[in-house]
Amino acid sequence: MPNKNLDPIAPREDAPRDAIVGQAFVQPETVIVVSTSQVNLIVLSRIVERARLKAVNCEPERAGAHIARIDPLIVILDGGSDMRECDAALGPIAVQKRMSDGARPHVVLLTVRNVQPDAVDMGGLIDSLVAKPVTPERLQPLIETVRDRWSSYSSAGSRSRQASSSDPA
């Protein structure tokens, strides 16, 4: 369940010390939704919340700061009609993916209906494509799959760390 008391873009001085890793807050329950359309931001954030995750909405120009500061589990990019409306967010996404060895964030691109997956070349940063119009039936299962995969990965990692720390050998 998301921590409602932690402001994802609060100044670093206000953050708990253990919440900072490198240059970003690690918030695996957070999804950043990037779009120029206010309507799309609202619709997409509601779908994210139905998947029991916290949505942070932003316009493409502000996405870089949010991505760098939050280290989200998922970034949803609304490509718009020309598939280039969110290009400003690609640089910070590339940095986060490098820092996590490609594990985070999972990037979902919302595409126009007639686009083929091989026609989208964004430097290998896109993990999933979802065709518009976006519905909860299309997007929510994808979000839940990524969330569940991440939580099983992180819990398996913590179990192996506990086992190795309690091993007397």
Side-chain angles (χ1 to χ4, degrees):
M1 188 56 59
N3 182 353
K4 303 273 186 211
N5 298 324
L6 182 62
D7 180 4
I9 56 173
R12 295 235 183 261
E13 307 81 59
D14 298 340
R17 290 275 178 220
D18 59 347
I20 300 174
V21 174
Q23 296 294 316
F25 293 105
V26 176
Q27 295 187 4
E29 73 280 356
T30 304
V31 176
I32 295 181
V33 180
V34 183
S35 180
T36 57
S37 165
Q38 293 298 316
V39 173
N40 286 354
L41 287 174
I42 292 168
V43 169
L44 295 169
S45 67
R46 295 299 175 252
I47 294 171
V48 168
E49 290 167 357
R50 284 179 59 173
R52 299 185 322 270
L53 294 171
K54 180 181 177 185
V56 175
N57 298 337
C58 62
E59 295 175 348
E61 300 78 36
R62 296 177 174 251
H66 283 76
I67 292 166
R69 200 165 270 245
I70 295 173
D71 188 18
L73 174 62
I74 301 171
V75 175
I76 300 174
L77 302 173
D78 181 1
S81 60
D82 63 353
M83 302 302 297
R84 293 292 174 198
E85 286 185 13
C86 293
D87 280 0
L90 296 178
I93 289 171
V95 169
Q96 290 301 101
K97 281 195 173 268
R98 270 195 308 274
M99 288 174 49
S100 69
D101 293 327
R104 293 174 56 129
H106 184 95
V107 181
V108 179
L109 179 65
L110 307 180
T111 65
V112 291
R113 185 182 297 253
N114 58 358
V115 132
Q116 297 297 322
D118 56 349
V120 178
D121 179 29
M122 296 195 174
L125 296 176
I126 306 303
D127 298 304
S128 303
L129 296 175
V130 176
K132 292 180 182 178
V134 177
T135 62
E137 292 77 20
R138 287 186 190 174
L139 186 56
Q140 189 173 344
L142 172 64
I143 293 169
E144 291 171 345
T145 300
V146 173
R147 180 199 64 209
D148 294 345
R149 183 176 46 196
W150 178 258
S151 57
S152 66
Y153 169 77
S154 60
S155 64
S158 67
R159 280 195 300 268
S160 68
R161 285 189 298 273
Q162 288 172 352
S164 65
S165 66
S166 64
D167 188 15

